[in-house]
């Protein structure tokens, strides 16, 4: 679209319909508008990744705790805090992930206090894993999905 606009503008200048000064001013507007559109989309690469891929990895890294203790908590938080100020979607997803992790940790602790709650805690853990997979797929498709049963600690 920008190139078509520039071509039309150039033709107007060649025909004498606009002056060189008008041409330069309008050309600058077209180029600046295009840069503003690109910078406001939030689609800037994050650590060399496209936004959807980065968001998907933020959700998926919650499973890292199965390999390295606490990594599933630390990695998504690091990914969120390093890019939350430069990308609104990273901030939104990061808050969602953090709220979910805190909520489900509280639920698990409360349920494990009672003997009857232990089987329910196991089911909760399985649900959490399913919810992470759903959120991961949705993030990769460019969608936002709020984890169910999440308390909003961070807004």
């Amino acid at each position: 679209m920008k190139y078509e606009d520039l071509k039309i503008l150039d033709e107007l200048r060649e025909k004498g319909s606009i002056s060189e000064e008008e041409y330069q001013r309008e050309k600058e507007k077209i180029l600046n508008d295009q840069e503003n559109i690109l910078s406001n989309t939030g689609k800037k690469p994050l650590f060399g990744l496209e936004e959807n891929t980065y968001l998907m990895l933020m959700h998926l890294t919650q499973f890292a705790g199965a390999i390295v203790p606490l990594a599933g908590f630390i990695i998504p938080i690091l990914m969120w805090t390093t890019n939350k100020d430069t990308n609104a979607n990273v901030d939104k997803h990061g808050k969602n992930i953090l709220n979910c992790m805190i909520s489900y940790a509280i639920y698990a602790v409360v349920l494990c206090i009672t003997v009857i709650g232990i089987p329910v805690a196991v089911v909760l853990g399985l649900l959490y894993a399913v919810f992470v997979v759903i959120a991961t797929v949705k993030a990769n498709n460019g969608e936002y999905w709020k984890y169910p049963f999440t308390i909003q600690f961070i807004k």
Side-chain angles (χ1 to χ4, degrees):
M1 181 175 170
K2 144 175 104 167
Y3 298 111
E4 294 171 4
D5 293 342
L6 289 173
K7 184 178 178 183
I8 292 168
L9 196 60
D10 189 50
E11 289 173 2
L12 289 171
R13 181 184 58 165
E14 287 177 4
K15 291 179 184 175
S17 300
I18 59 172
S19 67
E20 180 66 29
E21 182 181 314
E22 291 170 319
Y23 169 78
Q24 292 299 331
R25 185 175 52 238
E26 293 303 314
K27 176 182 167 186
E28 193 67 31
K29 283 182 190 177
I30 291 169
L31 294 175
N32 283 339
D33 286 346
Q34 191 66 25
E35 287 173 16
N36 288 337
I37 289 168
L38 290 174
S39 66
N40 290 332
T41 59
K43 300 287 184 194
K44 292 180 182 177
L46 302 154
F47 295 120
L49 300 171
E50 289 299 319
E51 182 182 76
N52 290 353
T53 305
Y54 188 84
L55 295 173
M56 175 194 69
L57 287 174
M58 277 179 62
H59 289 279
L60 199 57
T61 55
Q62 293 176 77
F63 288 130
I67 301 167
V68 178
L70 295 177
F73 185 75
I74 295 169
I75 295 172
I77 291 174
L78 285 175
M79 291 177 77
W80 169 54
T81 56
T82 56
N83 287 292
K84 68 178 183 169
D85 296 329
T86 58
N87 188 298
N89 283 329
V90 169
D91 189 37
K92 184 177 175 181
H93 283 260
K95 288 176 182 176
N96 186 29
I97 292 167
L98 186 57
N99 285 327
C100 178
M101 289 190 298
I102 293 169
S103 298
Y104 283 78
I106 291 170
Y107 298 149
V109 168
V110 169
L111 288 171
C112 286
I113 291 173
T114 65
V115 176
I116 264 180
I118 293 174
V120 177
V122 170
V123 171
L124 182 71
L126 292 173
L127 282 174
Y128 179 77
V130 169
F131 294 156
V132 169
V133 170
I134 292 170
T136 300
V137 171
K138 296 256 187 206
N140 193 42
N141 291 333
E143 301 172 43
Y144 174 79
W145 186 73
K146 187 176 175 225
Y147 288 93
F149 316 117
T150 300
I151 301 166
Q152 295 301 305
F153 295 103
I154 301 169
K155 295 181 183 192

